[in-house]
Amino acid sequence: QQQVKQSPQSLIVQKGGISIINCAYENTAFDYFPWYQQFPGKGPALLIAIRPDVSEKKEGRFTISFNKSAKQFSLHIMDSQPGDSATYFCAASINNNDMRFGAGTRLTVKP
Amino acid sequence: DSGVTQTPKHLITATGQRVTLRCSPRSGDLSVYWYQQSLDQGLQFLIQYYNGEERAKGNILERFSAQQFPDLHSELNLSSLELGDSALYFCASSVDRLEDEQFFGPGTRLTVL
């Protein structure tokens, strides 16, 4: 049963543009919301994560915005680069157990 | 390189067979997680072990089982294989069950013919 809904399925952005990926969750008990980046042939790698007691977290060009009341969170990639082209997964878990993943967004950054 | 190793990289087998996937966690990590990634189901959590004990169970079929050994490596056993079991199987590890970051291995691609 999917508890994390991710959109869009695919995204094409010009180099230097902003990439935005959205996720919505159902279970209010979730307390950890990571974003993973996956390149073809590789395992997912943690990009950035947030807990529900903060509304925003920024690491370099990557920002998570979190809206607890709306049960939504999003990933913003500023100044997108061709090297950012990958599949991005949002996820949610309780105490890092039983991680529930979104369906993934395939991002293509055109030079 | 995440420090998590998985063997084999690829596995091709027939329906009805049994296979074992192996995972070695990062040095010092006590928790091991198994995930299945397929086109139709996406990335799904299967099971977690912490220091040799099962800690959490996700969408793992009864035909599948796992264990974590005293040296902390883990094995995922898949039996009575079906075509639908064809997928990428990832192992991840973390320091302990409350530690946030999970480091994923490169995966084992299983093809059931």
Side-chain angles (χ1 to χ4, degrees):
Chain A
Q1 67 282 19
Q2 186 187 16
Q3 292 190 18
V4 182
K5 292 186 179 177
Q6 184 173 345
S7 63
Q9 256 188 330
S10 63
L11 182 60
I12 300 174
V13 172
Q14 288 295 127
K15 179 182 174 183
I18 302 174
S19 304
I20 302 175
I21 305 171
N22 301 299
C23 283
Y25 62 97
E26 298 167 7
N27 189 346
T28 55
F30 287 142
D31 62 1
Y32 177 62
F33 301 88
W35 284 89
Y36 285 87
Q37 180 188 56
Q38 186 178 25
F39 292 103
K42 304 285 187 184
L46 181 67
L47 194 61
I48 187 172
I50 198 168
R51 292 207 174 266
D53 51 349
V54 298
S55 60
E56 187 174 281
K57 183 174 180 180
K58 184 175 181 179
E59 288 184 3
R61 297 184 294 110
F62 302 92
T63 300
I64 299 179
S65 296
F66 187 84
N67 186 330
K68 191 174 181 178
S69 60
K71 293 188 285 185
Q72 294 175 348
F73 59 111
S74 60
L75 175 69
H76 291 63
I77 305 175
M78 312 300 286
D79 187 26
S80 299
Q81 300 296 312
D84 296 331
S85 297
T87 299
Y88 293 81
F89 294 93
C90 62
S93 72
I94 304 169
N95 286 335
N96 209 21
N97 289 326
D98 196 2
M99 189 88 71
R100 301 296 174 117
F101 288 84
T105 296
R106 180 172 290 186
L107 172 65
T108 302
V109 181
K110 290 194 173 290
Chain B
D1 184 1
S2 67
V4 178
T5 60
Q6 289 186 249
T7 56
K9 206 165 184 173
H10 302 278
L11 199 48
I12 301 174
T13 188
T15 54
Q17 295 298 304
R18 172 190 168 97
V19 297
T20 298
L21 312 184
R22 183 188 168 102
C23 167
S24 293
R26 292 186 323 152
S27 176
D29 284 0
L30 299 178
S31 270
V32 169
Y33 311 78
W34 284 99
Y35 294 90
Q36 180 194 59
Q37 186 174 36
S38 63
L39 282 174
D40 54 344
Q41 297 288 331
L43 201 51
Q44 288 197 98
F45 167 72
L46 296 178
I47 197 164
Q48 179 204 355
Y49 278 82
Y50 170 72
N51 204 19
E53 292 187 9
E54 181 184 305
R55 274 293 183 245
K57 224 169 184 176
N59 297 324
I60 188 166
L61 300 171
E62 284 193 14
R63 301 183 284 109
F64 296 0
S65 65
Q67 52 183 328
Q68 186 180 28
F69 295 87
D71 67 352
L72 301 177
H73 91 271
S74 178
E75 292 181 357
L76 179 67
N77 300 295
L78 315 176
S79 61
S80 302
L81 284 168
E82 302 175 359
L83 295 176
D85 297 327
S86 296
L88 265 170
Y89 290 84
F90 288 106
C91 165
S93 73
S94 67
V95 175
D96 61 47
R97 58 193 167 104
L98 297 179
E99 190 70 17
D100 293 343
E101 182 161 5
Q102 296 181 23
F103 293 85
F104 281 73
T108 292
R109 182 173 291 280
L110 173 67
T111 302
V112 182
L113 300 175

